[in-house]
Amino acid sequence: MLAKRIIPCLDVKDGRTVKGTNFVQLHDAGDPVELGYEYSQQGADELVFLDITASHEGRKTFGDMVERVARNLNIPFTVGGGIHELSDVERLLTAGADKVSINSAALRHPELIDEITKRYGSQVCVVAIDAQETNGDWTCYVNGGRIPTDRSLFEWAHEAQERGAGEILFTSMNHDGVKNGFANEALCHLSSALSIPVIASGGAGTMEHFRDTFTQGHSSAALAASVFHYGEIRIPDLKHYLTKEGICVRL
Amino acid sequence: MKIAVLQYNAGNTYSVVNALCRLGVNPVLTDDIELLGDADKVIVPGQGAASQAMQYLRDHRLDQLLVTLRQPVLGICIGQQLFCQHSDEGNVDCLQLIDAPVHKFVPTHPDQKIPHMGWNSLHNVQGPLFDGIHEGDFVYFVHSYFVPQCPYTIATCDYIHPFSAALQKDNFYATQFHPEKSGKVGERILKNFLDL
């Protein structure tokens, strides 16, 4: 049976993970490679590395990091952040990333999705969508949730799929950081409207939240950052809990 | 031991090279007919579309070479599909090493997403490639097309319906999943291939 996926997300700035961690056993919890490896040993199914570096030099550092991750990790990983054009995608895939996640660039230039998937296949192209709900309408945002667009979540997600996206990574800005559960109603709507997998993001606080996004949100995967980085939820515990709740995960 | 990884337009070749390096072997990534022919073992990795991959193989006369190889050959993902008769993906004739077709998944329920992406369990594993691998072990899949069960199936997986997770005919081995991305289970399978 296809397992639901648990995906820790690591924010990386100038080659270092940003959020603090309490992985005391690690030499250097700020090293994305070491932290990623530790997550893979704990049973993470995939990893996402998000480059939040602003500078050009930092971008080069990120590419070097991707190469080191690829050498050391035996599970799939996605990289995102700072991807503007096809050459950025090529650079990251050549460095060894399995998938790239595109967000603002895809909203600004939707044809980028076609270009990526024609060149590398749908499976490498994750379209990340940050959206906020107001009065029942979900609006897509760009620039890390700072600038609203005139696109609605469901309409844009459908277009991304039609253009060849392999997965949708949906972050609810209403739920992100609140630790009160994922946006399961919107996720359920999204998942039933799309034929490609949907990754839930934003709102993980407890193990029950993961269960609910799989059972109520029909998500194929759940992504979280701080609950894992701060050790509030350990992946082995989470997976045993989900198994007990009748959800298929890889143990 | 000389291990050659076929370099062609089907992407993802670096992952296989990295995985082999982690196992302590130093493979050569090449599309050179002589190097491939001389290798002790050959790996045909891949992602992407069967029709484009076949076109590349034909353009570089690699199709003629691959079918004559006598050393152990491992096809991964699109590599498995290329070993078959014909793929519905781009309606293309493949290498025809293994008498089996390649069809597209047709979902029967909204929860059945295409591509089949993620970790799924192996069943009915048999033969030396799966030495030490257990019924129900999870491996990583990413694909929209599948090979049905056939006399050459050496492992099955169930998504929408049972299909061939791995095939073997003579010296040709193939996995639909990505052993190079399948954690410790995948490492064991790659090591088993190297030990053949």
Side-chain angles (χ1 to χ4, degrees):
Chain A
M1 199 175 169
L2 182 63
K4 299 290 189 182
R5 287 171 279 155
I6 302 296
I7 309 177
C9 177
L10 290 78
D11 286 350
V12 178
K13 191 177 182 184
D14 299 318
R16 306 277 299 167
T17 48
V18 173
K19 286 176 181 150
T21 82
N22 70 349
F23 287 113
V24 284
Q25 72 273 34
L26 290 188
H27 247 1
D28 177 5
D31 178 10
V33 181
E34 202 175 340
L35 190 56
Y37 181 78
E38 173 63 21
Y39 277 132
S40 75
Q41 294 299 104
Q42 284 192 12
D45 297 307
E46 287 185 42
L47 293 171
V48 171
F49 293 88
L50 206 53
D51 186 14
I52 57 167
T53 309
S55 68
H56 184 71
E57 299 76 45
R59 293 255 177 271
K60 165 110 182 31
T61 313
F62 189 72
D64 295 343
M65 184 216 77
V66 172
E67 262 180 46
R68 286 201 300 136
V69 170
R71 277 201 298 272
N72 288 288
L73 219 60
N74 59 15
I75 59 169
F77 71 100
T78 301
V79 297
I83 297 170
H84 301 293
E85 51 189 41
L86 200 60
S87 63
D88 297 322
V89 175
E90 178 167 18
R91 182 172 50 84
L92 293 165
L93 292 180
T94 305
D98 296 290
K99 312 178 195 178
V100 292
S101 158
I102 52 171
N103 192 332
S104 305
L107 272 162
R108 290 201 181 96
H109 307 287
E111 64 282 0
L112 180 61
I113 302 171
D114 306 68
E115 289 171 14
I116 294 171
T117 57
K118 240 181 238 140
R119 176 81 179 78
Y120 301 102
S122 284
Q123 77 286 341
V124 307
C125 184
V126 181
V127 172
I129 306 177
D130 296 332
Q132 187 167 46
E133 189 230 39
T134 340
N135 303 323
D137 291 326
W138 285 91
T139 304
C140 299
Y141 279 66
V142 290
N143 286 31
R146 283 188 288 272
I147 305 172
T149 67
D150 57 0
R151 304 298 303 264
S152 94
L153 164 65
F154 302 107
E155 168 240 342
W156 169 234
H158 191 262
E159 180 179 336
Q161 168 182 293
E162 296 309 301
R163 286 180 179 275
E167 286 175 288
I168 298 292
L169 166 55
F170 162 50
T171 303
S172 161
M173 293 163 57
N174 304 68
H175 296 72
D176 200 23
V178 185
K179 295 197 173 183
N180 209 11
F182 294 90
N184 293 326
E185 211 175 305
L187 281 159
C188 180
H189 187 159
L190 205 52
S191 181
S192 57
L194 298 178
S195 61
I196 55 176
V198 176
I199 305 167
S201 161
T206 66
M207 297 203 277
E208 288 78 6
H209 294 155
F210 286 88
R211 175 196 62 194
D212 295 345
T213 201
F214 295 136
T215 56
Q216 297 166 18
H218 295 266
S219 312
S220 295
L223 177 142
S226 60
V227 289
F228 296 136
H229 299 325
Y230 296 114
E232 291 159 24
I233 296 176
R234 288 183 63 252
I235 292 169
D237 298 339
L238 174 60
K239 288 197 154 183
H240 280 109
Y241 167 80
L242 291 171
T243 303
K244 223 177 61 204
E245 293 290 312
I247 293 163
C248 177
V249 291
R250 176 181 69 114
L251 286 178
Chain B
M1 187 164 49
K2 285 185 284 188
I3 308 291
V5 176
L6 177 65
Q7 181 171 38
Y8 68 132
N9 64 336
N12 201 34
T13 43
Y14 297 103
S15 303
V16 175
V17 170
N18 281 327
L20 293 169
C21 290
R22 284 194 295 273
L23 290 170
V25 295
N26 221 334
V28 50
L29 182 60
T30 181
D31 63 357
D32 183 278
I33 286 180
E34 220 162 279
L35 281 175
L36 289 163
D38 279 350
D40 298 305
K41 297 199 168 70
V42 174
I43 298 181
V44 182
Q47 276 184 349
S51 51
Q52 287 171 21
M54 271 313 297
Q55 190 59 50
Y56 186 94
L57 295 185
R58 291 210 175 94
D59 289 349
H60 295 75
R61 295 176 181 276
L62 291 162
D63 56 333
Q64 295 167 27
L65 168 82
L66 287 172
V67 297
T68 62
L69 294 178
R70 291 288 166 265
Q71 61 272 57
V73 182
L74 176 64
I76 296 174
C77 193
I78 202 78
Q80 162 164 300
Q81 300 181 2
L82 294 178
F83 289 180
C84 295
Q85 291 295 110
H86 179 92
S87 174
D88 289 351
E89 187 174 15
N91 191 23
V92 65
D93 283 335
C94 298
L95 295 171
Q96 309 191 331
L97 288 158
I98 295 177
D99 187 7
V102 182
H103 296 312
K104 191 172 175 53
F105 277 124
V106 179
T108 56
H109 186 277
D111 274 358
Q112 292 166 341
K113 303 303 184 188
I114 309 293
H116 171 222
M117 180 182 287
W119 298 79
N120 205 333
S121 46
L122 291 175
H123 300 281
N124 309 305
V125 293
Q126 49 184 292
L129 195 63
F130 293 106
D131 194 28
I133 304 300
H134 304 101
E135 179 76 10
D137 277 351
F138 279 91
V139 288
Y140 188 79
F141 290 86
V142 186
H143 60 125
S144 302
Y145 290 77
F146 70 95
V147 180
Q149 286 178 281
C150 68
Y152 305 104
T153 302
I154 55 168
T156 63
C157 177
D158 196 347
Y159 188 67
I160 303 174
H161 43 66
F163 66 90
S164 292
L167 300 169
Q168 185 206 340
K169 188 186 179 194
D170 305 324
N171 55 320
F172 289 92
Y173 295 77
T175 65
Q176 181 59 65
F177 55 90
H178 289 275
E180 75 281 11
K181 286 287 161 183
S182 294
K184 288 198 176 72
V185 173
E187 273 172 10
R188 178 63 193 261
I189 293 166
L190 280 178
K191 187 175 177 302
N192 288 341
F193 175 72
L194 297 177
D195 289 345
L196 284 172

